[in-house]
Amino acid sequence: MASAVVTMGARAGAASAQSEKNEASSPTFVTRNARWQSTYDKALEILRNNVQMLPRFDKPVLIEGSEYAGIWQECGPLEALVYRKFRSDVARNSHMVFFALQRPDGQLAANNTRSGTSFGQIQMVVPIAATAWELAQSTHDQELLETAYASCSRWDDWLVRYRNTRGTGLIEGFCTYDTGMDNSPRWSGIPPQCPDRDAKKFTPLPTLPRVSPDLSATVYGARLALAEMAKALGKQSDADQWTEKAAHLRGLILSKLYVPEDAAFYDLDAQNNFVKVRTCVLMRVCSEHVVDQKLFDDLWTRQIHNPKAFWTPYPLPSVAFDDPAFVRPIPHNSWGGASQALTALRAGRWFDHYGRSAELSILMDKWCDAIQRDMSFRQQLDPTTGAFTEGDLPNYSPAALVMMDYTWRLAGIHEEPQQLHWNVRPGHPASESAKFSMRTDTGSDAEMRYDAKGATCYIGGTTVGRVEGGAARLLTDKQGKITGLTGIREATQHIALHTPDRGKRNFTLHANEHVAI
């Protein structure tokens, strides 16, 4: 017993030391707007408290929080990736826990919680391969890269072996928890978990197994990441194979699971009938960039940006508002209509990709306002009123991450793998006499300082540029070289860009317009 206590004490001490090291170089945000500042600070407090040790793994991870005392594959790695600037060690651990618990046959755990580790469903949405690849790139972590590549390759093999029973080449859903969409009418009549808590089995129902667009999209995104990992590891032949496999799967998703007359992706059941409930599956397919720009624009007009469907006052409900299956009143933990914090957190993976930065700003403002009015940081809200669901427990990590991540995406600095986004938004509540500072992945210090007219951007203490007047995103490379401007508000913006080498230049930016510089 004494040795166990010493070991646990050493682990806790090491975790504390790492925490202090990370916090010393963590991003900082200060604003004169007391409402925004207090909500942001509370979000960080919740996240700090949700960094915890779990059984069966000896390093701290970011747990889901609220009533979820553990980490889930569908969301935990992405959440920790978003949090990585504050705790890079936790981001790493929140991936390695799944690789460490992987079964010999290649199956990854659905979760690791205080009560146990589940292999009773596959429960995947954002590919762990994709988040591991982004994290390995940003932190230059060769061990993580090698471990993730080997583990995620074996996971792909397992999915092909056990979740392609109909031989379609697409990935099958066996139970509700496979997609993490608890209490969704999409899965009406289907058990929550696989029989005997074995994800290789499905309940003998005439409609099972289902071919699922979002599960297939997750594997598509994972294969693209595996191709990039293989290139980085000098495995060009493997990279070519992953790229080819991804392209083949993408073609199957588009040809077999998309219904053009509905502008929707649906599950296809074992009797070859579409399960016609319009859900956030659409956003999950977009999140992995399965659709091209032309198809996306059609989906945007007919579904995503349609106020009768998914562009509700608090956008992206889990079921289209005009779908007969939308569940009212909204119950606890429901993917039957509520707008979910997880969906909001994932929006950054696809809005900018498809050229909808201005509309993303609207979504972000809506969520931040709802969180500030409520302050409980719960799981879901009513898409028409923005009221969080009574009965959900507070201190949910995804809601806290939405507040933190959206603050920086709205009015601060956001780092992409190859770019820095300087989101200048004079007059926004978050930007009131605000200062944003962060350490980039290249080791430089990036900073934005606001005054009444605009904001000045710095790299390593040297002025990159200054934006005045309206809102705009200034794009630079990692060294601070300006490459362009993007319109990030729906209304046309008139801005002045000041740079050390060119002086003042005036620009008119329309919504989502990109100007190369």
Side-chain angles (χ1 to χ4, degrees), residues 62-64 75-84 342 345 396-398 401:
L62 180 62
I63 69 165
E64 201 73 356
C75 46
L78 173 65
E79 291 164 24
L81 178 68
V82 173
Y83 191 51
R84 72 178 178 83
L342 277 172
L345 186 63
Y396 182 57
S397 286
L401 287 163

Side-chain angles (χ1 to χ4, degrees), residues 64-115:
E64 201 73 356
S66 184
E67 62 195 88
Y68 308 104
I71 184 170
W72 274 257
Q73 189 198 152
E74 71 152 302
C75 46
L78 173 65
E79 291 164 24
L81 178 68
V82 173
Y83 191 51
R84 72 178 178 83
K85 290 287 186 181
F86 295 86
R87 290 293 302 270
S88 60
D89 61 319
V90 169
R92 187 183 202 271
N93 300 340
S94 297
H95 286 79
M96 295 295 278
V97 61
F98 290 99
F99 305 148
L101 296 174
Q102 188 171 27
R103 284 180 163 174
D105 67 358
Q107 185 182 4
L108 289 177
N111 61 43
N112 187 44
T113 71
R114 297 209 176 282
S115 59

Side-chain angles (χ1 to χ4, degrees), residues 57 59 92-93 95-96 99-100 132-133 135-137 139-152 229 233:
F57 190 69
K59 295 181 177 67
R92 187 183 202 271
N93 300 340
H95 286 79
M96 295 295 278
F99 305 148
W133 166 234
L135 181 62
Q137 285 183 92
T139 56
H140 314 289
D141 190 331
Q142 186 69 17
E143 182 185 16
L144 173 62
L145 173 61
E146 293 173 359
T147 302
Y149 181 73
S151 181
C152 295
M229 284 193 268
L233 291 168

